[in-house]
Amino acid sequence: MVSTLKMRNPATAELLGEVKEATREDVQKAMTVAQSARSIWEGVLLKERLGYMKRLRENIVDQADELADHIAKDTGKVKLEALMSDIYPTVGMIRYYERKAASILKTKRVPTPMILMGRTSRVEYRPMGVVAVISPWNYPFQLSMVPIVSALIAGNVVLYKPSEISSWTGKVIEGLFSSLALPKGVFQVLQGGKDTGRHLVDSHPDKIFFTGSVATGKKIMQSASEGLIPVELELGGKDPMLVFADADLDRAVNGALWGGYTNAGQTCMAVERVYVESSIYDEFVRRVKEKTETLRMGWTDEADLGSMTSLQQINIVESHLRDAVEKGARILCGGKRINRETLHFQPTVLVNVDHSMRVMQEETFGPVLPIMPFSSEEEAVELANATPYGLNASIWSTDMQKANRIAAKMDSGNVCINDVMVGVANPHLPYGGNKESGVGRYHGPEGLLTFVHPTSVVTHPGKKTREMNWFPYSKEQYEAVLSLIRLFYGSNPVQGLKGLKQIVKEFFRSE
Ligand code: NAD
């Protein structure tokens, strides 16, 4: 049965259109086409692949305003956020790879140890084949485009499944790629929900790049293990912000607001827990509340906060708030939807919180800032690391020595000092999570290396009948190998030198 997905603007409830969900058969057909495109794309020189990506980048910039509009309609976010957090990181990353991919993917000659003398060694970075990219809805453009582009530059073909909640952006991305006229089958879009995602995993791609929730990531890893398919998982977060008494308070307050509320809090690297040194706690809370109440919600260029994107996510936010209040937390401001027609949720400040509450342990993914005091550096570090997540952490202090010391103790893939989330916007930096926040890294050189098989190649001129360790074995051969090991790896190389004659004899032995 053919099923369709209806696409709506969550900030206005306007119907944008509908798309057909890909069935198991559609996925299988796409996989067959992708497999036949694989050798064609692998044969396209890196320079030409980068030429396509340069055109893609220029097209994105030419259409930036229109694209920001589409992304904003699809998600309910304000246009500036679409521009800054979806479009900028994408073009920034393409530009970075245009400049760096040749050196990252270049075959590298590596030394060959003396014990293997006569040979040369190199590493080649070969494409993996068909890469499945499965994306979420919160930054539907950036979190699709960056892995897609990285996989293509590395020489793979891509099957891309957008989130069912942001299919409109999936269509927009399909349009951008069709205007590039890539060879047939190099890039294909499979619209649909969980079932389509499952069919894609079952179609046995050569690599799965998944961004989404921990629960889905675990399911995908489990299914992928059946076929030993390599997976990269970019999952959720519960990011701590540690504010010390010597921090610039205005900057820390503004950082907490943006880090907690941008994209209506639906950011994997959002500030989800704020810990403030006791001596400035009351003042910090007062200022956060005051500034939160000045933020404007809506759907225009003047709004600070757009709507949330899915009703299901609002239900999670509400359940976290209920649980916290039942356990003694106090909502200082916000805490509700602004109406029943759209998905706008008020920015919310929460105090009297502790770690028994879901809002301090599970990903809330909404515009909520729970704030808790701490009294020592050790306690701050302990609280920050006390969740199953490890995506991003921020440390706020003007004492750089202290900030760097604490940053080094964060069990987290990304750390910012006196800043929030910004690491993800620098294409030179690797990005990914520790603990349940994920498996693997992308962006930076890692972002291409995750899509290749580093292949070792050893070359011998081939004009020697045998090697000193080949059959038939002899006592002399044993002595020669022992001398070599002593010579190069022992504490007393002179001992090995005694066997030099034997080494030379065995090295040149032809029978
Ligand atoms: P989700 O896990 O519900 O869905 C993500 C994608 O997986 C969607 O395309 C969905 O259709 C697909 N999917 C669902 N079940 C599947 C299955 N069994 N097999 C294959 N595919 C399946 O996540 P979401 O709600 O779309 O996104 C929000 C989550 O993503 C949050 O937890 C957020 O923290 C996380 N996220 C992480 C990062 C990161 O870079 N670490 C970035 C953004 C979002």
Side-chain angles (χ1 to χ4, degrees):
M1 198 187 74
V2 177
S3 67
T4 53
L5 296 168
K6 286 205 177 350
M7 302 176 286
R8 279 184 195 281
N9 177 344
T12 62
E14 174 201 358
L15 186 65
L16 302 171
E18 43 181 58
V19 288
K20 181 174 133 352
E21 283 201 83
T23 61
R24 182 180 286 279
E25 291 67 38
D26 295 329
V27 174
Q28 269 316 329
K29 265 191 227 154
M31 177 52 86
T32 308
V33 175
Q35 273 161 346
S36 59
R38 189 180 157 170
S39 59
I40 297 167
W41 189 240
E42 279 179 26
V44 173
L45 294 175
L46 174 61
K47 209 170 150 205
E48 288 174 54
R49 298 202 294 262
L50 291 172
Y52 282 109
M53 296 308 133
K54 175 174 183 282
R55 273 181 36 224
L56 176 67
R57 168 174 59 77
E58 289 167 351
N59 292 346
I60 294 170
V61 175
D62 288 347
Q63 301 164 38
D65 186 46
E66 204 182 320
L67 290 171
D69 202 49
H70 283 308
I71 298 164
K73 277 188 177 146
D74 198 19
T75 55
K77 68 179 77 182
V78 292
K79 262 178 88 177
L80 176 62
E81 288 176 351
L83 201 57
M84 194 54 214
S85 306
D86 271 293
I87 291 175
Y88 157 67
T90 304
V91 290
M93 193 61 68
I94 298 176
R95 173 67 128 217
Y96 167 81
Y97 285 139
E98 283 172 53
R99 290 175 175 158
K100 299 282 181 190
S103 70
I104 298 167
L105 296 176
K106 197 173 126 203
T107 296
K108 293 184 181 63
R109 179 90 181 258
V110 296
T112 306
M114 275 301 281
I115 203 158
L116 304 175
M117 60 193 131
R119 296 139 170 126
T120 55
S121 309
R122 63 177 191 266
V123 187
E124 292 178 0
Y125 298 95
R126 298 188 185 159
M128 299 175 108
V130 183
V131 171
V133 173
I134 302 178
S135 302
W137 45 262
N138 56 334
Y139 292 97
F141 193 78
Q142 183 211 154
L143 298 175
S144 302
M145 291 296 281
V146 172
I148 290 168
V149 163
S150 310
L152 289 173
I153 290 174
N156 303 281
V157 302
V158 170
L159 294 177
Y160 158 53
K161 194 201 86 61
S163 165
E164 60 275 37
I165 297 171
S166 54
S167 321
W168 185 250
T169 305
K171 265 180 88 71
V172 168
I173 290 174
E174 190 168 28
L176 279 170
F177 275 97
S178 53
S179 69
L180 288 185
L182 290 166
K184 181 173 181 293
V186 169
F187 174 74
Q188 299 174 77
V189 181
L190 294 160
Q191 292 276 11
K194 288 182 188 165
D195 287 344
T196 308
R198 269 194 290 264
H199 301 326
L200 184 52
V201 171
D202 292 346
S203 72
H204 208 294
D206 299 292
K207 163 108 188 185
I208 299 170
F209 187 99
F210 170 77
T211 309
S213 62
V214 173
T216 310
K218 286 182 180 175
K219 283 185 204 154
I220 289 182
M221 196 168 188
Q222 198 167 17
S223 309
S225 73
E226 288 294 311
L228 288 178
I229 303 169
V231 291
E232 172 149 352
L233 304 176
E234 297 291 339
L235 310 176
K238 188 77 199 163
D239 297 352
M241 170 175 188
L242 305 184
V243 187
F244 288 86
D246 56 10
D248 177 321
L249 205 55
D250 287 327
R251 181 170 174 83
V253 168
N254 290 333
L257 256 64
W258 191 77
Y261 302 148
T262 188
N263 211 38
Q266 304 162 118
T267 307
C268 53
M269 301 176 94
V271 169
E272 291 239 345
R273 296 175 285 149
V274 188
Y275 301 100
V276 184
E277 196 158 2
S278 312
S279 58
I280 56 159
Y281 178 81
D282 290 340
E283 181 58 13
F284 183 89
V285 168
R286 189 188 68 73
R287 292 200 205 181
V288 167
K289 174 180 181 288
E290 193 179 285
K291 285 208 161 182
T292 296
E293 285 170 336
T294 66
L295 294 174
R296 300 151 304 169
M297 306 199 67
W299 174 244
T300 64
D301 288 349
E302 295 303 309
D304 301 306
L305 265 88
S307 80
M308 290 187 63
T309 304
S310 89
L311 185 58
Q312 195 194 359
Q313 198 60 47
I314 288 190
N315 293 338
I316 294 172
V317 173
E318 287 176 338
S319 73
H320 282 198
L321 291 178
R322 258 195 320 274
D323 171 76
V325 169
E326 275 164 23
K327 291 175 179 158
R330 200 153 54 86
I331 295 176
L332 286 191
C333 61
K336 294 195 288 288
R337 290 172 70 174
I338 61 170
N339 60 44
R340 290 278 129 189
E341 291 73 52
T342 70
L343 300 185
H344 289 89
F345 196 91
Q346 295 169 332
T348 304
V349 180
L350 205 60
V351 291
N352 291 357
V353 289
D354 63 48
H355 277 212
S356 71
M357 299 170 185
R358 292 175 66 198
V359 79
M360 295 302 277
Q361 286 292 303
E362 299 171 25
E363 189 180 51
T364 307
F365 225 53
V368 178
L369 280 177
I371 315 178
M372 185 173 163
F374 68 83
S375 47
S376 69
E377 194 178 310
E378 293 67 35
E379 191 195 2
V381 169
E382 200 176 309
L383 289 167
N385 287 332
T387 74
Y389 295 97
L391 191 54
N392 189 43
S394 64
I395 321 295
W396 301 73
S397 165
T398 47
D399 176 347
M400 284 301 147
Q401 219 178 3
K402 177 167 77 179
N404 280 300
R405 182 173 68 235
I406 294 165
K409 292 181 184 161
M410 293 296 105
D411 192 353
S412 166
N414 313 272
V415 186
C416 297
I417 295 177
N418 297 318
D419 216 328
V420 273
M421 289 192 226
V422 71
V424 70
N426 179 353
H428 295 263
L429 289 171
Y431 177 78
N434 294 1
K435 300 192 278 183
E436 293 211 351
S437 288
V439 175
R441 293 289 184 270
Y442 74 135
H443 295 199
E446 288 83 354
L448 294 186
L449 298 177
T450 190
F451 290 115
V452 290
H453 290 302
T455 305
S456 76
V457 182
V458 178
T459 307
H460 189 285
K463 293 188 180 145
K464 200 164 163 265
T465 51
R466 66 185 295 280
E467 289 299 326
M468 65 187 286
N469 60 312
W470 289 3
F471 297 135
Y473 291 158
S474 68
K475 191 164 179 324
E476 291 74 22
Q477 210 178 351
Y478 180 87
E479 290 303 327
V481 173
L482 185 60
S483 296
L484 260 177
I485 291 172
R486 282 177 173 156
L487 184 61
F488 290 109
Y489 305 103
S491 62
N492 183 6
V494 177
Q495 215 188 358
L497 265 180
K498 286 186 195 150
L500 193 61
K501 224 167 109 189
Q502 193 61 37
I503 295 171
V504 174
K505 198 168 146 209
E506 287 303 318
F507 182 76
F508 289 107
R509 189 155 69 97
S510 56
E511 293 300 312

